Amino acid sequence: MMVGLVIVAVIAALAILAPLLPLPDPDATEPARRLAAPGELGYALGSDQLGRDILSRIVWGGRTSLVIGFVSAGLALVLGGALGLMSGYFGGVVDNLVMRVVDTLMAFPYVLLAILLVAMLGPGLVNAMLAVAIANVSFYARGVRSAVLLTRGQDYVEASRSVGASNFRIIARQILPNVLPTALVAASLNVGWMITETAGLSFIGLGAQPPTADWGTMLADGRAVDCVTRSTRASAGKAAPDRRLSPSGLSYETHGSGPACLVLHGGPGMSCGLWPALRELSASARLVLYDHRGHGRSTGTVPRETPLEVLADDAARLIRELRLGPVGILGHSNGGFIGLHLALRHPRLVANLVLVDTAASAKFRPVSRETARRRATPAILRALRSLWDKPIADAAAFRRLWTTVQPLYFHRPTPERIDLVTDSLRFDVEARSRILRAFDRYDLRPELSRIGAPTMVVVGRHDWITPPPFAEELARAIADARLEVFDRSGHYPFVEEPRRFARLVGEFLVTGR
């Protein structure tokens, strides 16, 4: 008994004192140091799939769990205790009515009832606590009612009633003080169950939401990490693709069969690394993925003046050199900006246009900065500010910063998803700075009505760079456009919802509808 008490006391003390302990930020991500073993890289218990300190998250998750346990137990005690007091004291119709409600709740298994309630209320830690508390109301209502039935017939209660004391006074002064100790003992025994049940809801995605440190979500994240095959997958993903150079020196690679689709990659200053993420789409389209001038293995440099327009002209030149004819265009993020310029400057070369997480003007920039300030962890925000506002030393520093910010780009980031869009990239600091300067002048809104190609505008519901209102603006301004919102995606819907993306975009490239 003493050993158990000591263990509980130590865990509670660590959780309560977490802000005073020399622990790193539990939400700070360092993808470059992910999945470190215990004792490596300064991590006492290792790091998780996003490079977060596991010891810090366990301790801070303990704080969350203690709050969950005591708040849920307290709320269930108050609600169930009130029902039990009324039912036991007044009896008759009140007793029958309350007990039938309690019997209905008890007909459901506690966990199943909690899942049903939180599914109705919506995922989240507060809703999970409410659901767990409500699911346990019947336990307290039954217990308090039984104690009240034993107490209400005592002589001191009858004496109070005989001198004219009100029902409220009798309950408050005579009944409650005698019932409360039993109820508090039951509540204290139930705290651990409350913690376990709420952790179970978090484990299945209905409780605490990322990046909150919670024991249930930590277990779910750990289950998703396949430590045995991770290195094998990473090595396979890094195999060098078969690339070619066009007569004008543009590097490209072709995958799949079907109608041709020229893929314009995003990421100013980065090469095209979309092939692994677009693998499913290659089943219905012949993807031509190429690096813009000055990016990756393509020759030349990004021009200082009008770089987006020049890169669009480069894409038109590649279409002619490869004799693709009128071709489908898939532009992601910055590639979407180039795709819009291509559709406006060379309309006869564009059969249809797919714009993924893009915008019609530079108005997206202050919105994305404000969204990042609200969503990003301190480490990610520091890296973003370096990417936005500070000179980057070299390509290696560029890669480190880019990898650090990637969790923000996903609705639910995992190491595998981050690897898909970062592993094969090449980085060029000068190309990035020249394109970012062009963003300040970027505004195609007055010209969008001239685009005649059938257009599909795709956006992730949780995209922080160009959120859905910018996609809606594009879809309204282009005459023949449709909007597709991916509810479970951030900036990479083709990574987070690949099957739906491949189905919709593949069908659109074939039919234009």
Side-chain angles (χ1 to χ4, degrees):
M1 179 176 178
M2 287 301 297
V3 173
L5 179 62
V6 169
I7 292 174
V8 171
V10 169
I11 293 174
L14 288 173
I16 294 170
L17 298 175
L20 305 177
L21 298 175
L23 296 171
D25 183 350
D27 299 328
T29 59
E30 291 190 63
R33 306 173 72 187
R34 61 183 179 268
L35 299 179
E40 289 184 355
L41 304 177
Y43 296 115
L45 295 181
S47 63
D48 67 5
Q49 70 272 29
L50 297 179
R52 297 173 297 195
D53 187 279
I54 290 179
L55 175 60
S56 179
R57 289 184 66 77
I58 289 175
V59 173
W60 282 87
R63 286 175 63 85
T64 305
S65 296
L66 285 178
V67 171
I68 289 170
F70 284 103
V71 171
S72 298
L75 185 59
L77 174 61
V78 171
L79 295 177
L83 291 174
L85 281 171
M86 289 190 300
S87 176
Y89 181 79
F90 291 105
V93 175
V94 174
D95 186 30
N96 285 330
L97 179 61
V98 171
M99 285 300 102
R100 297 301 76 75
V101 172
V102 169
D103 289 343
T104 302
L105 290 176
M106 295 184 71
F108 294 91
Y110 288 138
V111 175
L112 181 61
L113 180 59
I115 292 174
L116 175 64
L117 291 171
V118 79
M120 295 170 58
L121 295 171
L125 195 56
V126 173
N127 289 343
M129 288 192 293
L130 288 174
V132 170
I134 293 171
N136 285 272
V137 161
S138 58
F139 169 76
Y140 293 97
R142 281 284 187 181
V144 171
R145 174 181 177 272
S146 298
V148 171
L149 290 176
L150 294 175
T151 305
R152 72 174 185 177
Q154 299 295 322
D155 292 342
Y156 54 84
V157 175
E158 294 296 336
S160 295
R161 188 177 290 113
S162 66
V163 298
S166 65
N167 290 331
F168 177 80
R169 183 177 178 83
I170 293 173
I171 292 174
R173 299 293 297 273
Q174 307 297 334
I175 303 292
L176 185 59
N178 289 281
V179 170
L180 189 58
T182 303
L184 290 176
V185 170
S188 65
L189 294 174
N190 210 24
V191 168
W193 167 247
M194 299 288 193
I195 292 173
T196 303
E197 193 168 349
T198 310
L201 293 176
S202 297
F203 182 80
I204 61 175
L206 296 177
Q209 300 297 300
T212 303
D214 175 84
W215 290 345
T217 54
M218 289 180 68
L219 288 172
D221 291 342
R223 183 190 60 171
V225 177
D226 186 354
C227 297
V228 175
T229 60
R230 177 179 174 273
S231 59
T232 303
R233 287 196 300 268
S235 299
K238 294 177 182 177
D242 179 23
R243 296 181 183 272
R244 301 180 182 181
L245 281 179
S246 74
S248 61
L250 295 176
S251 173
Y252 71 95
E253 53 182 298
T254 303
H255 299 274
S257 60
C261 175
L262 183 66
V263 178
L264 306 174
H265 66 85
M270 286 167 279
S271 61
C272 182
L274 296 179
W275 158 237
L278 294 176
R279 191 180 299 271
E280 291 203 29
L281 181 59
S282 67
S284 53
R286 180 162 63 96
L287 303 180
V288 180
L289 302 97
Y290 93 107
D291 294 328
H292 308 308
R293 183 201 302 193
H295 295 68
R297 292 177 173 82
S298 290
T299 59
T301 59
V302 175
R304 294 181 181 275
E305 300 297 330
T306 62
L308 295 177
E309 292 86 336
V310 173
L311 295 181
D313 292 341
D314 286 345
R317 185 181 304 110
L318 181 64
I319 292 172
R320 294 189 181 100
E321 290 175 345
L322 300 184
R323 299 181 180 181
L324 298 177
V327 66
I329 304 296
L330 192 160
H332 175 240
S333 191
N334 173 59
F337 306 159
I338 298 172
L340 288 169
H341 280 291
L342 177 62
L344 290 167
R345 296 167 70 86
H346 306 277
R348 294 184 180 180
L349 297 179
V350 179
N352 39 46
L353 184 61
V354 179
L355 303 171
V356 183
D357 293 312
T358 191
S361 73
K363 295 292 185 182
F364 76 92
R365 300 190 76 186
V367 174
S368 62
R369 284 175 178 260
E370 179 58 33
T371 305
R373 290 189 187 97
R374 289 188 282 105
R375 293 189 189 177
T377 64
I380 291 179
L381 195 55
R382 286 193 298 271
L384 282 173
R385 286 170 176 161
S386 296
L387 288 169
W388 288 333
D389 305 322
K390 299 177 182 179
I392 302 174
D394 51 31
F398 192 174
R399 175 180 288 277
R400 286 195 300 272
L401 292 170
W402 184 251
T403 305
T404 298
V405 303
Q406 281 309 292
L408 187 61
Y409 283 70
F410 292 89
H411 177 44
R412 288 191 176 276
T414 67
E416 291 79 11
R417 289 173 174 176
I418 292 174
D419 284 347
L420 277 177
V421 296
T422 59
D423 265 3
S424 60
L425 292 180
R426 291 188 170 201
F427 295 81
D428 187 283
V429 174
E430 182 61 26
R432 176 178 178 80
S433 63
R434 292 185 179 185
I435 292 178
L436 287 183
R437 284 196 293 269
F439 284 174
D440 295 332
R441 304 184 302 274
Y442 174 65
D443 190 352
L444 294 181
R445 290 175 296 179
E447 303 179 61
L448 292 180
S449 60
R450 294 198 292 111
I451 296 178
T455 302
M456 174 184 286
V457 182
V458 176
V459 65
R461 175 77 66 188
H462 307 279
D463 183 17
W464 71 277
I465 302 178
T466 51
F470 292 97
E472 294 166 2
E473 179 184 45
L474 274 173
R476 288 194 302 266
I478 299 174
D480 187 4
R482 59 185 272 200
L483 176 66
E484 294 289 345
V485 180
F486 284 64
D487 292 326
R488 301 192 303 276
S489 297
H491 194 61
Y492 299 112
F494 43 81
V495 175
E496 298 198 83
E497 298 180 69
R499 292 183 179 176
R500 183 187 174 206
F501 183 88
R503 176 174 56 81
L504 292 177
V505 174
E507 180 181 334
F508 180 76
L509 291 172
V510 172
T511 66
R513 291 290 180 268

